[in-house]
Amino acid sequence: MTSISFSDAERRTAFTVAEAELIREMGNVSIVKFLGGTDQATARENWFAKIEEFVEVLPDGVFIALDASDGQVALRLAGGSTVVLRLWEARYAPTLEDSWRIMLKPRLAPVVVDMVGTALWGDVWVEAVAGALEGEPLPVVPSGDRPFGTFMREAREQLSASGAVEATVRGWTVQAAPEDAPWPWFTDEQTAHRAAKALALGTDRIGALFSDWQRASDG
């Protein structure tokens, strides 16, 4: 697992960037209220507690750096992947056709580990995750008609305009535990099914699998 503690300078820079982005997206709103704080210092602490809690369950070699240099706050990851943070969400959107959104909860970190593993090792990693799973993956269902948040709504609107079939326009949801709601959401069904296996495997087991593959690759 990754032990991480962001510097005060990193925290302040990221918070400033996140605040500016929130105002661009939603107008003159208070990021302090969104983050459940009474002032900027407590709001920033609340936010980074969740970010660090999420990053710390990732196996060594997945997380590279926190990046706030491009007008957004992002986690740079191995394999060239980048996950953008929107307060309590993590969003991956290299293309409209293969995008996803999860909440910043450690139990949902396997989605990120699987993405990085697939970027590094391709189909053989995907097969290894499936082979390590005992039992069934989590259910994958077409998403409901009410999207959660602007990211899902905008993705649906763009997919609809592109002429995508109805199920794709709605997207796909992996039914995780009730406490992990809003559940992980994907525009690509295959990616959703892959994530469903990773989530069923669990944070510790997929982390151990990734570490084994990393050692084998380095050796």
Side-chain angles (χ1 to χ4, degrees):
M1 301 300 179
T2 303
S3 178
I4 189 72
S5 179
F6 297 105
S7 69
D8 188 60
E10 287 178 305
R11 291 167 180 254
R12 290 180 180 278
T13 298
F15 187 86
T16 299
V17 169
E19 183 175 36
E21 187 175 24
L22 183 67
I23 291 172
R24 284 197 304 270
E25 183 176 308
M26 301 190 66
N28 190 20
V29 296
S30 170
I31 192 174
V32 172
K33 292 181 179 179
F34 271 86
L35 294 174
T38 55
D39 53 35
Q40 286 202 347
T42 57
R44 189 165 58 242
E45 187 64 29
N46 289 346
W47 189 38
F48 269 89
K50 290 294 184 183
I51 296 173
E52 290 177 353
E53 184 182 29
F54 186 85
V55 170
E56 284 176 353
V57 302
L58 299 174
D60 292 342
V62 170
F63 173 74
I64 296 176
L66 183 73
D67 188 351
S69 63
D70 193 29
Q72 58 188 9
V73 182
L75 304 179
R76 289 200 293 110
L77 308 169
S81 302
T82 298
V83 172
V84 174
L85 304 183
R86 293 292 198 281
L87 302 187
W88 305 123
E89 290 184 18
R91 303 176 182 180
Y92 177 71
T95 66
L96 177 63
E97 293 76 15
D98 188 10
S99 303
W100 50 255
R101 186 272 310 157
I102 64 174
M103 302 306 290
L104 271 178
K105 298 180 178 181
R107 286 161 54 99
L108 301 179
V111 176
V112 171
V113 179
D114 179 68
M115 177 190 68
V116 172
T118 302
L120 291 174
W121 301 300
D123 289 343
V124 290
W125 163 260
V126 176
E127 293 169 1
V129 172
L133 179 62
E134 299 172 358
E136 297 296 321
L138 299 185
V140 174
V141 298
S143 183
D145 291 332
R146 294 183 179 180
F148 175 82
T150 56
F151 177 69
M152 293 170 66
R153 183 171 62 251
E154 291 170 0
R156 284 180 171 187
E157 290 172 353
Q158 292 176 50
L159 284 168
S160 181
S162 72
V165 297
E166 179 61 23
T168 302
V169 171
R170 291 198 306 271
W172 304 89
T173 298
V174 178
Q175 294 182 327
E179 58 267 31
D180 293 328
W183 290 329
W185 180 85
F186 302 81
T187 58
D188 179 70
E189 184 180 9
Q190 183 177 355
T191 304
H193 281 285
R194 205 179 71 218
K197 295 182 177 69
L199 287 165
L201 196 59
T203 303
D204 291 341
R205 292 183 63 199
I206 199 169
L209 182 65
F210 184 93
S211 296
D212 289 344
W213 276 67
Q214 188 80 289
R215 282 192 293 270
S217 298
D218 292 343

